[in-house]
Amino acid sequence: LSSIFPVFVLYYFCCLGFVSEKTIKIWAIIMMCVATAYYFQKRVNMMEVLNNYAIQRDGFTNNASYTIVAFLPLIIYLSKNRIIQLISFCFCLYLIVLGVKRGAILISFLIFFFYVFTTFKNINNIKKPIFLLLLFTIGYFALMLFKNYFASDVYFMSRLESTREGDLNGRDA
């Protein structure tokens, strides 16, 4: 909910003419850099806490993944070049999956599939095969990454398994 409220404020100021597309681009780049730095800082902090208290865990979740999810719609404004947009999406998806927050993963993949669908629908017929080739190449590398890295991550796999079994950590009321 806190991610949706700024959209209405931004929309209101755009309607009044106070905010232009150039302003959105500049702030999107700045805030995406800040969100990425925040994500890695939270990751380092959690690792330090686990090391300081000698806690033996296979992994942990990173709540900063939701911050990255909040900025996914702004990627469209970063560049008119769809390849840069797609690479930016993939980078964000990687960070979100690395954060192991199941809700963030689900929402981000829904946003990504919506982006791919609308992009494919709106590009001309000459560029569609190139876009599909790029998409399948990225999908192949993502599958290999999942197979080699995430499948060997015990914590990530246990979170996926608990989700599949219906364990929602007491939130299924």
Side-chain angles (χ1 to χ4, degrees):
L1 187 59
S2 64
S3 296
I4 295 173
F5 181 69
V7 172
F8 294 113
V9 174
L10 183 66
Y11 176 74
Y12 177 74
F13 284 124
C14 285
C15 289
L16 292 178
F18 293 129
V19 179
S20 66
E21 187 173 340
K22 183 178 179 181
T23 306
I24 293 173
K25 279 184 183 181
I26 292 169
W27 280 105
I29 291 170
I30 292 169
M31 294 309 292
M32 196 61 204
C33 291
V34 169
T36 304
Y38 174 68
Y39 176 89
F40 284 112
Q41 182 61 41
K42 292 287 276 185
R43 187 167 176 79
V44 168
N45 287 348
M46 185 57 76
M47 286 182 189
E48 288 175 356
V49 166
L50 292 176
N51 288 337
N52 288 343
Y53 292 107
I55 298 173
Q56 296 297 322
R57 286 189 64 180
D58 293 326
F60 55 88
T61 60
N62 189 344
N63 287 333
S65 297
Y66 289 108
T67 306
I68 303 295
V69 170
F71 285 102
L72 282 177
L74 290 177
I75 288 175
I76 295 167
Y77 288 108
L78 292 180
S79 173
K80 296 288 184 198
N81 187 341
R82 300 214 189 271
I83 294 173
I84 292 174
Q85 290 177 357
L86 196 58
I87 291 170
S88 299
F89 258 114
C90 291
F91 174 72
C92 289
L93 289 175
Y94 174 74
L95 292 179
I96 292 165
V97 170
L98 196 61
V100 195
K101 295 300 285 185
R102 294 172 290 188
I105 292 170
L106 178 66
I107 295 298
S108 63
F109 276 101
L110 288 174
I111 291 170
F112 180 72
F113 287 127
F114 178 75
Y115 166 76
V116 167
F117 176 74
T118 56
T119 300
F120 187 74
K121 189 174 77 171
N122 293 330
I123 61 176
N124 61 26
N125 290 334
I126 296 170
K127 293 183 180 180
K128 283 185 181 183
I130 296 169
F131 183 77
L132 282 175
L133 179 66
L134 181 64
L135 189 64
F136 284 125
T137 303
I138 290 171
Y140 174 77
F141 283 116
L143 184 64
M144 290 299 113
L145 178 71
F146 181 79
K147 182 180 175 187
N148 294 327
Y149 177 73
F150 292 116
S152 64
D153 187 352
V154 177
Y155 184 68
F156 183 77
M157 294 310 290
S158 70
R159 298 270 299 175
L160 282 180
E161 187 63 33
S162 67
T163 303
R164 198 174 342 178
E165 292 172 357
D167 179 17
L168 301 175
N169 295 335
R171 290 183 233 142
D172 53 346

